[in-house]
Amino acid sequence: MAGPTSPILRTDAQPRVEYSQFLLADDESLPEFPGWKGSSRVLVEGDRGVLFRTAGNDFFPDVRIEVWSSEPHLPQDQLWDVIEEAAIVSRTGRIRLREWDRSPAGELLQLGSTGDYRLRAHCRGRAEATARSAQDLFYEGVEEWLLQIWPIAPSD
């Protein structure tokens, strides 16, 4: 069975990262998250949001968000350091990328409906971001993220 060939929505942003993190959350929610202690993951699920752990600190990563109608194929033409998945619940049908301090980073994204979604996070450039953080502040790019989001069908 073939999946969709293109997202229904795509946007790019550069959230300001401090404490090596940024987040994606339901529009009217500022979720709490469990701590990173003992975890090697780059993302952690919260109530109506996902927290992302970057390799760099005090910088602006490149983040692309794609909303899909169903699960997309994994990108075959690009190499990624990490690929992880998480669940996200939207009670409003709208999500927003947020900076480390929870201030908005980029536009409000319309998912199309409320409910349960799956998020697949791809990340690359982590080693270079770690190295740059040791010598530079507030650099742009280097670490790249692709966040793919799609609704979970009731039978999933």
Side-chain angles (χ1 to χ4, degrees), residues 8-116:
I8 56 176
L9 179 94
R10 177 183 289 148
T11 189
D12 297 311
Q14 286 189 313
R16 180 174 48 111
V17 167
E18 289 190 31
Y19 302 102
S20 298
Q21 59 191 13
F22 66 93
L23 64 115
L24 183 73
D26 197 39
D27 180 36
E28 296 177 359
S29 173
L30 292 177
E32 293 300 319
F33 297 96
W36 293 108
K37 188 173 183 174
S39 174
S40 61
R41 293 192 52 147
V42 299
L43 55 86
V44 63
E45 296 175 20
D47 180 33
R48 298 182 310 276
V50 176
L51 184 66
F52 302 92
R53 179 169 33 190
T54 62
N57 194 36
D58 296 323
F59 79 115
F60 297 87
D62 291 330
V63 179
R64 169 163 286 174
I65 302 171
E66 297 178 345
V67 177
W68 293 77
S69 59
S70 62
E71 182 176 0
H73 294 289
L74 286 169
Q76 298 298 315
D77 60 337
Q78 301 174 13
L79 297 176
W80 299 96
D81 298 338
V82 177
I83 300 174
E84 291 185 11
E85 290 190 15
I88 187 168
V89 176
S90 176
R91 293 189 182 158
T92 66
R94 301 176 307 271
I95 57 172
R96 186 181 296 270
L97 192 67
R98 294 186 176 275
E99 297 182 338
W100 71 276
D101 63 357
R102 301 179 183 219
S103 59
E107 62 189 90
L108 184 64
L109 304 173
Q110 300 288 337
L111 294 174
S113 66
T114 61
D116 296 332

